[in-house]
Each structure stands twice: as structure tokens, then as C-alpha cells.
Amino acid sequence: MAFPDRIERTVELAHPPAKVWAALTTAEGLGTWFGNGATVDLREGGSAQLTWDSGDKANIRIERVEEPAVFGFTWGIYGLAEDDPRRTYVEFTLEPAGAGTRLTMVETGFAQLPDDQYRKAFQSNTDGWAHELGELVEYLNAA
């Protein structure tokens, strides 16, 4: 592999794991910090959908639910057609850190793409996670 296949971000949050878990796994939480609306069927094999006021949407398949420590899902890859079967895997890991939580987000699966699609998707999601995790921090701090 000639390029990275992994986006990883760790954020120290001044909130207990249960509060962070709810922000990641409920329609209210996801629909506030990650989109403008959401539906969530929180179970392995369940689905979720994020929607934005722009009309964009993301369909998610929930792959891993280990409350309150691990939440994982697959979703379509930015820049590919909605019906393209290729997906990336996103996993959030929550660890108690003092009175707060250490949240690690990892997204993998970009290596399956040809160079031109890879560059577009990897850069978009790298920038996107920096922005979205900032919105998660704002959401948690405001709650």
C-alpha cells in the first residue's frame, strides 16, 4: 500500500463516558453535532441515517455496540455513488480518563480505492473528522 489507510483522532473530553456514549449513539446526539437530523437503530446489524439541511445524507450500518466502550459502523465513501458497495469502517473507543473520557476515532478502508478516488475521499474525511469532532466537543460542553 503506497498511502495511509487510517484516519485516527484522539480527543480528551471533560465528560463521563455515559454522556459521550449518548452523544455518539442516539438520534438526538448524532442529529445535533454530526448532522441536522438522525435516526438510529442501536444494535449490531442496525442502521442509522444522518441528514443535513443541504439535503445530503449518510446511511450507516451499525457493526459493533459494546456500551459504553466501543461503537463501530460502516458507511459509504465520499465521492462514490450512493449504491457503490465499498464502505469504510469507523470505530469510536471510549476510555475513562480521570473524571472525563478519552475518545479515539479510527476510520479505515480507503486503500480499496484507486489513487484519484482515494485522495478525494481520504482528504475529505480527514478534514471532516477534524471539524465534526470539534462540533462534538461543542455539543458536549453546551449540554
Side-chain angles (χ1 to χ4, degrees), residues 3-5 76-82 84-88 109-125:
F3 40 75
D5 186 45
I77 300 173
Y78 177 77
L80 302 185
E82 189 174 325
D84 191 297
R86 293 173 289 182
R87 301 173 75 72
T88 58
F110 298 96
Q112 65 187 304
L113 301 173
D115 286 356
D116 59 329
Q117 291 175 328
Y118 163 82
R119 279 189 289 278
K120 181 178 181 180
F122 190 82
Q123 189 59 55
S124 175
N125 285 32

Side-chain angles (χ1 to χ4, degrees), residues 27-46:
E28 177 186 342
L30 285 173
T32 302
W33 70 269
F34 200 5
N36 298 116
T39 59
V40 178
D41 177 9
L42 186 61
R43 62 182 174 82
E44 290 181 10

Side-chain angles (χ1 to χ4, degrees), residues 23-118:
L24 297 173
T25 61
T26 65
E28 177 186 342
L30 285 173
T32 302
W33 70 269
F34 200 5
N36 298 116
T39 59
V40 178
D41 177 9
L42 186 61
R43 62 182 174 82
E44 290 181 10
S47 62
Q49 185 178 73
L50 297 168
T51 57
W52 288 266
D53 291 342
S54 64
D56 290 334
K57 64 182 178 180
N59 293 307
I60 292 170
R61 177 179 158 79
I62 298 170
E63 304 290 346
R64 194 167 171 197
V65 178
E66 296 177 18
E67 186 176 353
V70 182
F71 176 56
F73 61 84
T74 56
W75 64 347
I77 300 173
Y78 177 77
L80 302 185
E82 189 174 325
D83 62 350
D84 191 297
R86 293 173 289 182
R87 301 173 75 72
T88 58
Y89 177 70
V90 177
E91 187 169 276
F92 293 96
T93 304
L94 294 75
E95 300 174 82
T101 304
R102 177 177 299 109
L103 174 68
T104 302
M105 183 289 310
V106 175
E107 183 173 14
T108 58
F110 298 96
Q112 65 187 304
L113 301 173
D115 286 356
D116 59 329
Q117 291 175 328
Y118 163 82

